[in-house]
Amino acid sequence: QELANLFEMLGFTIEGAALQEAAQAAGLDPDDEDLDLSELWRLLHVYRQREGLSAKETADIEEVFQKQDKDNVGEISSCDVGRLLRSLGYQIPFDSLQDLVGQVDVDSS
């Protein structure tokens, strides 16, 4: 719990499985809350690489993304983003979706 509190103080939203999996991937005991600075740094690095998602969440998103990426080019249109989010259970208003896409679509494609 102390580790989860630390991550929350650093601005992360913590989901238990994701933190446990990141600790294991960083070569740490997920229940060891007595980390030195290098261990904490490794854990932070892995957690940030995974965007705070568990392996299952990442696999679910990848599966839905692949369905939308019909040309298999690693990109989807802004319309496809809406379908992707809805298929994951997120109902996002069109204006909010446009704002989200605008934040990540650097070349306006």
Side-chain angles (χ1 to χ4, degrees):
Q1 183 60 34
E2 187 176 336
L3 193 54
N5 290 340
L6 173 63
F7 271 64
E8 287 175 358
M9 287 175 26
L10 293 171
F12 295 99
T13 301
I14 301 301
E15 193 277 312
L19 187 56
Q20 295 270 329
E21 289 175 11
Q24 289 173 339
L28 305 171
D29 176 1
D31 298 321
D32 181 9
E33 298 209 357
D34 185 28
L35 303 177
D36 65 28
L37 186 57
S38 68
E39 291 170 329
L40 178 60
W41 185 255
R42 283 197 331 256
L43 177 57
L44 277 168
H45 180 74
V46 170
Y47 192 81
R48 290 185 68 198
Q49 278 185 319
R50 295 174 173 208
E51 301 287 345
L53 299 172
S54 69
K56 181 184 179 334
E57 292 166 328
T58 301
D60 290 346
I61 292 168
E62 182 67 29
E63 178 184 341
V64 173
F65 183 89
Q66 293 303 323
K67 287 179 184 175
Q68 298 300 321
D69 181 19
K70 293 176 181 32
D71 298 329
N72 201 27
V73 294
E75 298 177 355
I76 59 175
S77 71
S78 56
C79 292
D80 291 335
V81 171
R83 282 192 284 274
L84 182 147
L85 292 171
R86 284 190 298 280
S87 68
L88 290 169
Y90 297 100
Q91 298 297 322
I92 297 179
F94 182 74
D95 292 343
S96 298
L97 177 61
Q98 294 297 59
D99 289 342
L100 282 170
V101 170
Q103 291 176 27
V104 297
D105 187 12
V106 294
D107 64 356
S108 300
S109 56

